[in-house]
């Protein structure tokens, strides 16, 4: 079963209902909501494998040369509240200073009647130190995943919750080259029935 979730166009809600039948009296019943956390995604082997990405761009307008970046993360899966370490090897063989930028965003996908709706929200953004013209530099950035961010949901037929790490180079007067890597966010405490807040906060 998928984890509990409340999103822009839909939600996944679990309830527990108890009913008491008594002779010669009207039955009585009560109902309560509870938050469910799924362990399904944690058993996927690729979650522990390093992620890589590479991008190169030639610059022609208002500047000259080329820039390239090699990106590495330690793995795909992370717990709520954990630090996501990104290592970027940047070669700035151009005449402009460039700035590496990092963002983690959430993608909610809702399926109904053969169509779908997508809602994207930024979770966090970070900026690295400038890489000056005609230099090569290794930049390391640790992104702190919020404790209250929703977990990844991939095992539901009507709602998916996915995450992407985007790394891009901010280049003046040029289209920014970017790399996107998948990120799976797991519950910090995977116990079933544990009450956890949802993200974004209501």
């Amino acid at each position: 079963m998928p984890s509990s979730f409340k999103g822009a166009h839909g939600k996944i809600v679990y309830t527990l209902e108890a009913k008491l039948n008594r002779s010669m009296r009207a039955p009585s019943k009560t109902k309560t909501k509870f938050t469910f956390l799924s362990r399904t995604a944690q058993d996927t082997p690729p979650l522990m494998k390093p992620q890589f990405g590479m991008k190169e761009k030639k610059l022609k307008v208002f500047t000259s040369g080329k820039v390239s970046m090699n990106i590495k993360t330690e793995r795909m899966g992370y717990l709520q509240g954990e630090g996501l370490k990104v290592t970027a090897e940047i070669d700035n063989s151009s005449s402009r200073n460039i700035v590496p930028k990092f963002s983690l965003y959430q993608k909610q996908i809702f399926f109904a009647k053969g169509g779908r709706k997508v809602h994207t929200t930024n979770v966090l953004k970070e900026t690295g130190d400038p890489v000056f013209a005609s230099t090569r530099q290794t930049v390391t950035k640790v992104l702190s995943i919020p404790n209250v961010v929703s977990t990844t949901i991939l095992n539901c037929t009507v709602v998916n919750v996915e995450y992407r790490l985007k790394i891009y180079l901010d280049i003046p007067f040029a289209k920014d080259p970017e790399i996107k890597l998948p990120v799976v966010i797991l519950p910090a405490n995977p116990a079933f029935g544990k009450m956890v807040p949802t993200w974004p906060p209501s």
Side-chain angles (χ1 to χ4, degrees), residues 83-102:
L84 193 168
K85 182 180 178 182
V86 186
T87 302
E89 296 179 358
I90 301 172
D91 184 0
N92 183 11
S93 300
S94 75
S95 57
R96 296 274 184 177
N97 297 338
I98 61 177
V99 179
K101 295 186 176 182
F102 309 82

Side-chain angles (χ1 to χ4, degrees), residues 12-181:
I12 301 172
V13 178
Y14 291 91
T15 60
L16 178 65
E17 182 177 288
K19 185 176 181 180
L20 179 63
N21 289 319
R22 296 176 292 178
S23 60
M24 306 298 292
R25 294 186 181 182
S28 58
K29 61 182 179 179
T30 185
K31 183 168 64 174
T32 185
K33 294 181 181 179
F34 67 94
T35 299
F36 176 78
L37 293 177
S38 175
R39 289 179 175 174
T40 305
Q42 300 185 65
D43 300 327
T44 307
L47 294 183
M48 299 306 295
K49 292 184 178 180
Q51 302 294 299
F52 301 93
M54 179 181 177
K55 192 78 171 184
E56 182 177 285
K57 181 179 180 64
K58 292 183 179 180
L59 306 177
K60 298 179 181 180
V61 181
F62 301 115
T63 187
S64 60
K66 67 178 182 179
V67 297
S68 65
M69 58 176 167
N70 283 286
I71 304 299
K72 178 184 176 181
T73 62
E74 296 174 332
R75 57 190 185 275
M76 185 190 299
Y78 294 87
L79 300 177
Q80 295 167 318
E82 192 174 5
L84 193 168
K85 182 180 178 182
V86 186
T87 302
E89 296 179 358
I90 301 172
D91 184 0
N92 183 11
S93 300
S94 75
S95 57
R96 296 274 184 177
N97 297 338
I98 61 177
V99 179
K101 295 186 176 182
F102 309 82
S103 71
L104 179 68
Y105 66 91
Q106 182 195 74
K107 188 176 181 182
Q108 303 174 12
I109 309 172
F110 303 87
F111 304 92
K113 297 181 179 180
R116 71 174 195 166
K117 281 190 175 183
V118 178
H119 179 78
T120 303
T121 306
N122 285 319
V123 177
L124 55 87
K125 289 184 177 181
E126 296 283 350
T127 300
D129 295 329
V131 179
F132 299 108
S134 302
T135 62
R136 181 192 296 263
Q137 186 174 333
T138 299
V139 177
T140 301
K141 179 67 72 173
V142 178
L143 307 178
S144 297
I145 299 172
N147 289 306
V148 295
V149 73
S150 298
T151 57
T152 296
I153 299 176
L154 300 175
N155 59 334
C156 182
T157 58
V158 293
V159 179
N160 279 3
V161 179
E162 303 174 4
Y163 292 90
R164 295 288 185 275
L165 170 67
K166 184 171 76 170
I167 306 98
Y168 60 102
L169 302 177
D170 190 351
I171 306 173
F173 308 110
K175 185 177 180 180
D176 299 335
E178 65 179 38
I179 293 173
K180 294 181 180 180
L181 299 175

